Amino acid sequence: MKLTVKDLNSFYGPAHILFDIALEVGEGEVVALLGRNGAGKSTTFRSIVGLVENRSGRVMFEGRDVSDLPTHAIVRGGLGYVPEERRIFTDLTVEENLEVGRQPKRPGAPQWDREKLFKLFPNLGEMRSRPGGRMSGGEQQMLTIARTLMGNPSLVLLDEPSEGLSPKIVEQMVDAILAMKKEGVSIVVSEQNLHFARLISDRAYIIERGRICFGGTMAELDARPDVRDAHLSL
Amino acid sequence: MAFYIVQFLTGLASAASLFLVASGLSIIFGVTRIVNFAHGAFYMLGAYVAFTLTERFSGAFGFWGGILVAALAVAAIGVLVEMVLLRRIYHSPELFQLLATFGLTLMVEDLVVLIWGPDDLVGRRAPGFKGAIDFFGQNIPSYDLFLIVLGPVVLGVLWLLFQRTRWGVLVRAATQDRDMVAALGVNQKWLFTSVFALGVFLAALGGALQIPRDAVNHAMDLRVIVEVFVVVVIGGLGSIIGAFVAAVLVSELNAFGILIFPKISIILVFLVMAVVLIVRPWGLFGKPEAPARRTPGLTVNPWRPLTVNERLAAIAVLVVAAALPFVAGNYLLTVGSEIAIFVIFAVSLHFLMSVGGLASFGHAAYFGLGAYGVALLAKMVGLPMIACLLLGPLLGLMGAAVFGFFAVQLSGVYFAMLTLAFAQIVWSIAFQWVSVTGGDNGILGVWPEKWAASPSHFYWLSLGIAALAVVILRIIVFSPFGFALRATRDSPLRSEAIGINGKRIQWTAFVIAGTVAGLAGALFAYLKGSVFPDNMGISLSVDALVMVLLGGVETVSGAVVGAIVYKALNIWLVSQTDLSKLVLGGFVVLIVVAFPKGIVGTLEAYMHRRRKSSSSAPSPLLTSRIESAE
Ligand SMILES: Nc1ncnc2c1ncn2[C@@H]1O[C@H](COP(=O)(O)OP(=O)(O)O)[C@@H](O)[C@H]1O
Ligand SMILES: [Mg+2]
């Protein structure tokens, strides 16, 4: 397994948010984490990369227990994270944003560099020295993904990449994610949008109020319209 | 004409060091969000170490090498400080960060005297730049020309460093969003440490480069830090260009201010700063900050008026205190009076800091103004004591009204820096305006009249006024005004929305606190029979902060307890050691790191836990008070 999460519990202050989350991601797989707004998708991702202080449980990445490592060490180990809010460095140019994400080559993981990423996201190649603050939402979304890929991750957590994007940009996003998959990057993508998830994912989990309540292939999910209707707003 | 040009060049030369120190402060603040009050101390250390090295090693190589090595060595000390102290307080409230770095400054001041002695040290001239250049009959030291060139060169190097290196890109990214930088696999710890090292290096270099121009002494840290605060307030904290422009501006104002107001040249700088603050509160090149992290005193330990029992207990304590003259001798009574006076001073600061959320680092200014008010009225006008006691504090009131108006335009670290700078301005006026204030010699012979002259009478007078001050401030805290003040502190936006004029409320609080501090100062003048510039000095401001902190910021009675414990300890300590600043500084650092809640806060937390285990539900009345305040 590429990534195994077991018994993950997380808290914000006194509020218990995640309850015994368990996830598995295989080598080269694209797995969707589906759930309504507020279900706990972002919290799950933030907990995996160590950004939620108050948490318990185990996170195994490439056979190594990373539960107690600081964020930067987890990310350096090849587990990339693309936050929902994008968090582009608005004062930095596109190229500088990519530079912040750059990490040394990692054997066994797909390699990325600026030129390769500009091929994947042609829009970015045309605005290399534009400050991040003067880009459209879709361009910013592409830049955050590209920035994380500069770290040569073998697995990427993508938090709601289609959120707030126009259909045309969403299409580009689908292509980009499939291209990443083809390069060999494993991906966990959180989504509220089942149609988008279906285009890219091999398997899916459904999370509801901090608990995983379904796990299976996309075909299995399609065979259970009751689960789908109970936990996802379509 | 030539004279003015030379004066201008002198200003430019002074700007170089100031720019180095200010840019270091700005760089550190940008990434770590800490305003490093110890920056002046590093500047001073740079000068002292450079002095030793350049004396020890001769020749041009010894000199320039010595300067560089000194800056590097001090940067290494900075790294140590960052790793041992700052890493523990990155997540603390601003006030604690300011205090901890300030405590460090105090320690360094004593250490420097311990190592290098108290006298001014005159360093040697820079090899190759010993002479002067003749400019239409005026002399320009060639070393000044070197500095004039150096400033822009350093600016350029810093620009290249931040624009053209990976490290610079990371630093700029972290300045905007340090958590995201970590989420991209960058180890923030080392980024912070390296940024701190660079900042300290610049400060120490600034100090080291001063030795051919100025004598090295153990007061240069505070002098430079005040100027640097003025520079970053004008230029905008976090902006290197801003630091450069403002350093030039401030240095030129100083250079020409001497010609216009020879005695109090600092006034000109102050006026310019005031204008900048009104027009662009975040500085010429700064960006408006998101509301800063809150100062402490806001975690919600609901405040309440005393219960009947507690009132009785307070009265009992007061009665016991009032009985002191029947058992104690004169010395103890004098100590008792001094403690009572400092209770007044501490509660006035506590009011501003905890109730108003405005941590002033220059509260002694108003204490001192009250003291000078009394001294001037008694000596020059010859008013009777009662009149002096009533009118003297008005000087504190006026000072607080003027400075407070500007200070409350800002919040958080800017507020702290500004109040410190104002206090230093008041101090230098008292120090320099010899014809009125007597300068360093102070004003002597301010003795109380016969009815208050005996130690026991004066003690009762002080105790009575202290009790009155505490009661009045408490009444204000629980008045509608107090609620409005707390609402402004907790949520400036929301309170504006319900029609509270936040700035006006804070200004009023500042004036109230300043007046009460002035009252304490007025009594203090009579207690000591004299006033000196030190009555408004920085260490007195820090004393007050420590008293409040020691007692506990989050409690209303904390300041009283803190003042008593601290002052008693302090009087004892001064009688025991010459290194009181070292001990005091260490003490401040210790409180910040180990007991941020203070004595009363720690006790209350303990009692609260016990009470909670007996009766679990917190009183709904208490919580509703806070809400009604908003
Ligand atoms: N920083 C936070 N502090 C407190 N509660 C939070 C915080 N972030 C999210 N929550 C709460 O945690 C729950 C899960 O949120 P989140 O993980 O963001 O959901 P999703 O990403 O699925 O929309 C929500 O109820 C949300 O209100
Ligand atoms: Mg989310």
Side-chain angles (χ1 to χ4, degrees):
Chain A
M1 277 296 140
K2 195 82 192 167
L3 175 75
T4 311
V5 177
K6 267 194 227 149
D7 302 327
L8 180 66
N9 283 273
S10 295
F11 304 79
Y12 287 125
H16 195 163
I17 304 290
L18 297 184
F19 301 84
D20 303 324
I21 298 286
L23 300 171
E24 287 195 330
V25 183
E27 187 74 48
E29 246 189 331
V30 178
V31 175
L33 180 62
L34 302 169
R36 292 196 184 102
N37 212 351
K41 304 180 293 296
S42 299
T43 307
T44 304
F45 284 1
R46 293 169 49 79
S47 304
I48 291 173
V49 290
L51 286 169
V52 177
E53 241 160 69
N54 202 347
R55 66 181 194 281
S56 66
R58 283 161 72 73
V59 178
M60 306 286 292
F61 176 62
E62 296 183 332
R64 225 157 48 103
D65 188 342
V66 298
S67 325
D68 296 324
L69 296 183
T71 301
H72 71 89
I74 298 176
V75 171
R76 249 181 209 215
L79 203 166
Y81 167 58
V82 179
E84 186 176 8
E85 324 82 279
R86 295 172 192 156
R87 292 169 77 171
I88 289 296
F89 303 110
T90 48
D91 295 342
L92 273 56
T93 64
V94 168
E95 289 192 334
E96 286 171 338
N97 266 282
L98 294 180
E99 175 63 26
V100 179
R102 184 166 66 80
Q103 293 288 340
K105 293 199 168 85
R106 190 175 295 109
Q111 307 288 339
W112 302 88
D113 56 36
R114 270 201 317 229
E115 294 314 316
K116 191 168 159 192
L117 285 166
F118 288 148
K119 252 182 228 129
L120 187 61
F121 301 107
N123 298 16
L124 297 183
E126 287 158 22
M127 46 180 76
R128 299 175 183 221
S129 42
R130 181 175 300 183
R134 301 220 329 261
M135 301 168 72
S136 73
E139 288 157 1
Q140 288 193 344
Q141 184 65 57
M142 293 179 183
L143 181 55
T144 34
I145 295 175
R147 189 176 62 178
T148 298
L149 288 177
M150 282 295 281
N152 306 316
S154 59
L155 181 144
V156 172
L157 307 175
L158 262 180
D159 201 351
E160 300 211 29
S162 75
E163 194 189 11
L165 300 186
S166 70
K168 189 163 161 270
I169 308 274
V170 170
E171 244 170 66
Q172 288 182 21
M173 197 60 74
V174 170
D175 293 343
I177 293 173
L178 290 176
M180 285 161 62
K181 179 180 178 176
K182 215 164 115 208
E183 288 282 332
V185 184
S186 313
I187 298 170
V188 188
V189 55
S190 88
E191 264 308 322
Q192 302 186 44
N193 180 340
L194 183 58
H195 303 299
F196 179 82
R198 204 195 306 275
L199 293 175
I200 50 176
S201 319
D202 306 313
R203 283 191 305 123
Y205 290 95
I206 295 182
I207 183 171
E208 167 90 359
R209 288 199 211 126
R211 292 186 166 83
I212 297 286
C213 54
F214 171 88
T217 61
M218 290 317 278
E220 283 166 338
L221 179 58
D222 287 335
R224 295 283 305 276
D226 53 319
V227 173
R228 200 183 64 197
D229 297 345
H231 301 295
L232 302 174
S233 34
L234 297 174
Chain B
M1 192 59 210
F3 172 74
Y4 290 105
I5 292 178
V6 169
Q7 198 68 10
F8 178 76
L9 292 179
T10 309
L12 274 188
S14 314
S17 271
L18 199 53
F19 162 62
L20 289 183
V21 187
S23 65
L25 189 85
S26 260
I27 292 169
I28 292 175
F29 175 79
V31 176
T32 66
R33 297 280 129 183
I34 286 189
V35 171
N36 177 28
F37 269 35
H39 221 59
F42 290 123
Y43 165 88
M44 177 168 74
L45 273 179
Y48 271 107
V49 175
F51 172 83
T52 301
L53 290 177
T54 52
E55 292 294 304
R56 174 85 181 64
F57 300 102
S58 57
F61 188 74
F63 181 87
W64 297 109
I67 295 229
L68 201 65
V69 171
L72 287 172
V74 176
I77 298 174
V79 167
L80 201 69
V81 165
E82 197 272 347
M83 291 173 64
V84 174
L85 175 62
L86 297 190
R87 280 188 186 179
R88 290 172 204 280
I89 58 172
Y90 280 131
H91 294 287
S92 303
E94 279 161 1
L95 170 66
F96 291 117
Q97 301 171 341
L98 298 177
L99 268 172
T101 49
F102 211 95
L104 221 60
T105 306
L106 292 176
M107 293 167 75
V108 170
E109 275 189 17
D110 260 1
L111 283 175
V112 158
V113 174
L114 207 63
I115 298 172
W116 283 281
D119 298 326
D120 284 14
L121 303 175
V122 181
R124 71 181 168 108
R125 312 281 283 291
F129 295 95
K130 285 187 175 150
I133 288 164
D134 182 75
F135 182 82
F136 295 108
Q138 304 270 343
N139 274 339
I140 306 173
S142 54
Y143 189 69
D144 276 12
L145 295 178
F146 164 74
L147 289 179
I148 292 172
V149 175
L150 184 75
V153 168
V154 171
L155 178 65
V157 170
L158 286 178
W159 187 86
L160 285 176
L161 186 62
F162 283 106
Q163 298 296 326
R164 292 280 180 268
T165 69
R166 172 172 169 83
W167 184 84
V169 171
L170 292 180
V171 168
R172 280 158 57 217
T175 301
Q176 188 184 347
D177 186 347
R178 48 185 173 175
D179 290 336
M180 191 60 227
V181 173
L184 289 168
V186 177
N187 188 348
Q188 290 190 69
K189 267 192 189 164
W190 291 109
L191 198 58
F192 278 36
T193 306
S194 56
V195 163
F196 197 77
L198 175 66
V200 171
F201 174 82
L202 289 170
L205 188 62
L209 286 170
Q210 281 301 82
I211 56 175
R213 295 186 93 211
D214 253 335
V216 182
N217 65 60
H218 58 96
M220 61 196 287
D221 56 342
L222 289 183
R223 210 174 45 215
V224 80
I225 199 75
V226 166
E227 282 200 357
V228 163
F229 284 173
V230 173
V231 165
V232 294
V233 165
I234 291 179
L237 201 46
S239 161
I240 296 177
I241 296 276
F244 185 80
V245 173
V248 170
L249 186 66
V250 167
S251 303
E252 292 303 342
L253 286 172
N254 274 334
F256 287 98
I258 292 217
L259 307 179
I260 304 170
F261 304 106
K263 289 290 173 206
I264 31 184
S265 52
I266 201 156
I267 296 257
L268 199 61
V269 173
F270 167 67
L271 290 177
V272 170
M273 182 167 76
V275 171
V276 170
L277 278 178
I278 292 172
V279 183
R280 279 179 75 90
W282 51 90
L284 294 176
F285 291 82
K287 289 195 201 128
E289 287 282 323
R293 221 165 337 124
R294 310 170 130 198
T295 16
L298 341 141
T299 41
V300 224
N301 219 345
W303 288 353
R304 60 198 165 79
L306 293 180
T307 60
V308 175
N309 280 344
E310 284 166 330
R311 270 180 211 190
L312 289 178
I315 291 174
V317 170
L318 190 60
V319 169
V320 171
L324 189 68
F326 300 111
V327 289
N330 284 350
Y331 174 70
L332 220 53
L333 286 176
T334 311
V335 170
S337 305
E338 191 165 341
I339 289 179
I341 290 169
F342 276 89
V343 165
I344 305 176
F345 186 35
V347 292
S348 74
L349 177 63
H350 174 273
F351 174 75
L352 187 63
M353 205 162 124
S354 307
V355 189
L358 300 166
S360 167
F361 272 69
H363 204 50
Y366 314 104
F367 182 92
L369 282 174
Y372 272 92
V374 159
L376 294 176
L377 287 173
K379 299 296 287 186
M380 294 176 120
V381 188
L383 290 184
M385 179 172 171
I386 288 282
C388 288
L389 274 182
L390 288 175
L391 296 178
L394 291 185
L395 197 60
L397 183 153
M398 288 189 296
V402 173
F403 293 136
F405 176 81
F406 297 108
V408 300
Q409 308 300 323
L410 305 178
S411 60
V413 291
Y414 274 99
F415 181 85
M417 290 191 295
L418 203 58
T419 45
L420 181 79
F422 285 152
Q424 200 57 13
I425 287 168
V426 175
W427 178 86
S428 44
I429 291 175
F431 192 78
Q432 292 176 359
W433 202 9
V434 179
S435 56
V436 174
T437 63
D440 203 13
N441 297 324
I443 302 175
L444 306 178
V446 189
W447 295 111
E449 282 163 17
K450 219 185 236 139
W451 59 271
S454 81
S456 58
H457 286 185
F458 197 84
Y459 172 73
W460 276 322
L461 178 70
S462 311
L463 187 67
I465 295 181
L468 202 67
V470 172
V471 168
I472 291 177
L473 283 178
R474 284 195 67 109
I475 290 176
I476 297 178
V477 170
F478 295 108
S479 71
F481 172 81
F483 287 136
L485 183 59
R486 280 147 67 188
T488 308
R489 172 198 75 190
D490 293 338
S491 172
L493 290 181
R494 246 185 299 168
S495 54
E496 292 279 339
I498 58 170
I500 294 175
N501 183 342
K503 296 270 176 266
R504 160 105 19 116
I505 296 263
Q506 288 180 329
W507 187 27
T508 313
F510 199 100
V511 173
I512 292 174
T515 312
V516 176
L519 183 64
L523 277 171
F524 193 70
Y526 277 119
L527 176 73
K528 297 287 175 189
S530 54
V531 294
F532 296 103
D534 274 357
N535 294 152
M536 35 180 71
I538 285 181
S539 59
L540 196 63
S541 293
V542 176
D543 279 355
L545 283 165
V546 176
M547 286 177 212
V548 174
L549 207 65
L550 182 63
V553 197
E554 299 175 349
T555 62
V556 187
S557 43
V560 178
V561 175
I564 295 171
V565 172
Y566 178 77
K567 201 62 209 172
L569 268 179
N570 188 299
I571 290 171
W572 177 75
L573 193 69
V574 169
S575 69
Q576 298 293 311
T577 169
D578 290 336
L579 300 174
S580 54
K581 276 190 202 159
L582 184 63
V583 180
L584 173 62
F587 191 59
V588 172
V589 173
L590 183 74
I591 299 182
V592 168
V593 175
F595 304 104
K597 274 177 175 302
I599 299 174
V600 178
T602 308
L603 278 180
E604 269 187 359
Y606 173 73
M607 305 271 276
H608 191 68
R609 237 176 291 135
R610 285 193 49 178
R611 226 177 293 149
K612 223 177 172 178
S613 55
S614 54
S615 72
S616 58
S619 152
L621 218 167
L622 298 189
T623 32
S624 71
R625 257 190 189 291
I626 286 266
E627 278 161 17
S628 68
E630 294 189 19

